[in-house]
Amino acid sequence: MKAPTPVRSATTPAAPILELRKLNAGYGPVKVLHDLDLVVNAGEIVALLGANGAGKSTLLRTLFGRPRPTSGQILFEGQPIEGMPAHAVAKRGIAHAPEGRRIMPKMTVLENLQIGGHLIDPTHFAADVDKVFALFPRLAERRKQRAGTMSGGEQQMLAIGRALMQRPKLLLLDEPSLGLAPLIIRQIFDAIRDINVREGITVLLVEQNVVQALGIADRGYVLQTGRVVHAGTASDLLAMPEVRGAYLEGAIAS
């Protein structure tokens, strides 16, 4: 499959919104992240790539303190957040749409969105719901439907919409295309680009579909056993023989 040319030119905004410095984390005696350095600049889409088990999802969870870093720094807007409880991190302006969606299946679409907006001034709720419904019209059609009865693609739209209800400055997306049909994947990635371009929300994207991820990203990092092994602009990564051989010509990152 031919890799698309990235739709956005790589730029370097004035200041990073997220910085990881020599970050180490794991689960009990198992160390997963090793002296990891990573920067996400405000306004960017940054793709986080790598094989299954490379530590991508662990990195996102570590931002919320689960697991807690064993050493190193996590800076958000220049301020340390490592060790903060998850709700305090969310209040700072980071939202997470986790792998597997994890919506509330017995609640309606609207009730799930209410949960997403519980940290925000309730006077914004109606306007924020309207934005989510404009981004994902299918959710508007199913606003009173129980979330667990919807298709996988609709549930993924809801997971992203619920995260957006937090009015985040930084949106973490973990495998948003997992298990979805190609047409729905294109719709999801179009929505991610719109979130970034129209709403000005910075995105850190973990994704198994490397072609799609680098097609909308400004930059990317490739992880291997919890370490950064490649980093660069999306176009640079697409041109690297190591990346093409591992992820674009047979192997699938996850």
Side-chain angles (χ1 to χ4, degrees):
M1 181 177 182
K2 184 178 178 181
T5 301
V7 297
R8 304 176 66 231
S9 61
T11 58
T12 305
I17 192 169
L18 178 70
E19 294 180 81
L20 310 183
R21 297 178 179 175
K22 302 299 180 187
L23 186 67
N24 292 275
Y27 305 95
V30 180
K31 191 174 180 180
V32 179
L33 304 179
H34 303 266
D35 292 327
L36 195 144
D37 292 318
L38 181 146
V39 174
V40 178
N41 293 311
E44 287 186 308
I45 298 176
V46 173
L48 191 59
L49 313 172
N52 191 29
K56 307 182 304 298
S57 294
T58 296
L59 188 157
L60 298 190
R61 296 187 194 113
T62 302
L63 299 182
F64 283 88
R66 301 174 183 174
R68 294 171 65 91
T70 54
S71 63
Q73 283 188 299
I74 303 173
L75 302 177
F76 181 67
E77 297 186 313
Q79 300 299 313
I81 62 170
E82 67 274 4
M84 280 188 176
H87 71 273
V89 174
K91 283 186 175 181
R92 287 290 185 98
I94 304 178
H96 185 197
E99 182 181 1
R101 296 144 199 161
R102 300 185 191 176
I103 56 169
M104 306 300 289
K106 294 184 178 181
M107 293 185 175
T108 67
V109 166
L110 194 58
E111 288 168 342
N112 271 270
L113 296 179
Q114 287 174 326
I115 291 173
H118 78 281
L119 294 175
I120 301 301
D121 183 343
T123 61
H124 297 306
F125 179 76
D128 291 345
V129 167
D130 286 345
K131 284 186 178 182
V132 171
F133 286 165
L135 185 67
F136 297 119
R138 288 195 188 189
L139 297 183
E141 298 168 4
R142 290 156 174 76
R143 68 182 69 199
K144 295 182 180 180
Q145 185 173 333
R146 286 191 179 186
T149 65
M150 299 195 302
S151 70
E154 291 163 351
Q155 290 182 22
Q156 184 61 68
M157 294 173 190
L158 179 57
I160 296 172
R162 182 181 59 186
L164 291 174
M165 291 296 295
Q166 293 180 216
R167 293 194 160 201
K169 300 173 185 176
L170 173 63
L171 177 62
L172 312 178
L173 298 175
D174 196 349
E175 304 285 15
S177 78
L178 189 63
L180 302 183
L183 177 61
I184 302 300
I185 291 173
R186 285 195 293 273
Q187 293 174 0
I188 294 291
F189 275 80
D190 286 345
I192 294 169
R193 186 172 57 234
D194 286 348
I195 289 165
N196 175 250
V197 173
R198 297 183 184 180
E199 300 297 327
I201 297 172
T202 307
V203 178
L204 179 57
L205 170 66
V206 167
E207 178 51 51
Q208 64 172 338
N209 191 324
V210 173
V211 174
Q212 291 282 356
L214 292 180
I216 66 170
D218 294 289
R219 295 186 301 111
Y221 291 85
V222 180
L223 296 191
Q224 183 176 316
T225 60
R227 297 174 173 85
V228 173
V229 293
H230 300 292
T233 66
S235 56
D236 287 344
L237 289 175
L238 284 168
M240 284 184 183
E242 304 95 322
V243 174
R244 294 192 65 85
Y247 306 116
L248 301 179
E249 296 172 3
I252 301 296
S254 61

